[in-house]
Amino acid sequence: MPKPESFPIEKIFVPTKQKKAIKPEIVGEIAESMLDIGQQEPISVRLDGDRLVLLEGLHRLEACKALGETTIIGVIVPAEVAQHKPQLAERPEVEAERLKMARLKQLRLEKEAAEASIAGRKGVNGTEAPRTRPTKGVRDNPKASPGRTAKSTPKTLSDWITQQKGHGGRY
């Protein structure tokens, strides 16, 4: 492993893609830790002409900037090693989370397929109750008054006229 050395912060280039991943709360925690015990883990950089490109340690770099530091401890990683560096998805904890999520997705798909299969068998065997529509004139509104939900059939013409007058209808 290369030996850690001190680098000027202004010479370190941070790729735009990495800048989007900055979490201010993590930077604050690291800055507080650096005030108490100093920088424990060096950042990783690679040479690109006369500048250094940050590979790992974005929050440590931002914490040093926040503390007003002009230098930071880091190691230079050769370009060949930087290209073969394990990506974020290959880190053990991220890989474990990815596998867990894939397994949960697989279980969900299996459950849905089983439910669809059972529903399909019920439909073929005729064991499923037929779907019925509500009786004509009956509303699904539970707040409707009972006299207005189902119309009663009048027995005589005078009853019909009285019903029409009560409901504002014409006769």
Side-chain angles (χ1 to χ4, degrees):
M1 179 163 179
K3 184 178 178 185
E5 50 188 293
S6 184
F7 299 108
I9 290 178
E10 71 270 358
K11 292 219 181 221
I12 299 173
F13 171 75
V14 180
T16 307
K17 196 173 186 180
Q18 284 186 4
K19 285 181 183 178
K20 293 178 182 178
I22 294 175
K23 296 182 180 169
E25 61 275 0
I26 294 176
V27 172
E29 290 174 13
I30 293 174
E32 287 178 20
S33 172
M34 284 183 172
L35 283 174
D36 292 339
I37 58 175
Q39 183 182 350
Q40 299 297 306
E41 187 77 23
I43 64 169
S44 299
V45 294
R46 71 174 169 82
L47 284 173
D48 183 29
D50 62 339
R51 70 178 181 179
L52 300 165
V53 178
L54 182 71
L55 298 175
E56 194 174 274
L58 174 66
H59 290 100
R60 284 171 272 164
L61 178 66
E62 293 299 318
C64 281
K65 285 181 183 178
L67 293 172
E69 296 289 331
T70 57
T71 60
I72 188 168
I73 299 171
V75 292
I76 295 179
V77 179
E80 306 84 47
V81 176
Q83 289 176 351
H84 299 295
K85 175 182 158 248
Q87 298 297 318
L88 180 65
E90 295 174 3
R91 291 186 180 161
E93 63 275 2
V94 175
E95 184 66 15
E97 184 69 19
R98 188 189 65 75
L99 290 173
K100 177 182 164 187
M101 295 306 291
R103 180 69 183 141
L104 288 173
K105 181 179 179 183
Q106 181 65 29
L107 289 172
R108 182 179 50 82
L109 292 174
E110 289 172 3
K111 180 182 175 186
E112 288 174 359
E115 288 172 352
S117 174
I118 290 170
R121 276 192 247 132
K122 280 186 179 178
V124 170
N125 295 337
T127 57
E128 188 176 346
R131 295 181 186 221
T132 58
R133 295 183 66 170
T135 310
K136 187 172 182 168
V138 176
R139 296 183 194 168
D140 291 331
N141 184 354
K143 293 184 179 180
S145 62
R148 303 213 17 118
T149 55
K151 292 183 180 180
S152 59
T153 315
K155 293 188 179 26
T156 64
L157 181 58
S158 61
D159 291 341
W160 180 81
I161 291 172
T162 307
Q163 183 184 30
Q164 292 298 316
K165 284 182 183 176
H167 293 294
R170 291 186 184 181
Y171 58 99

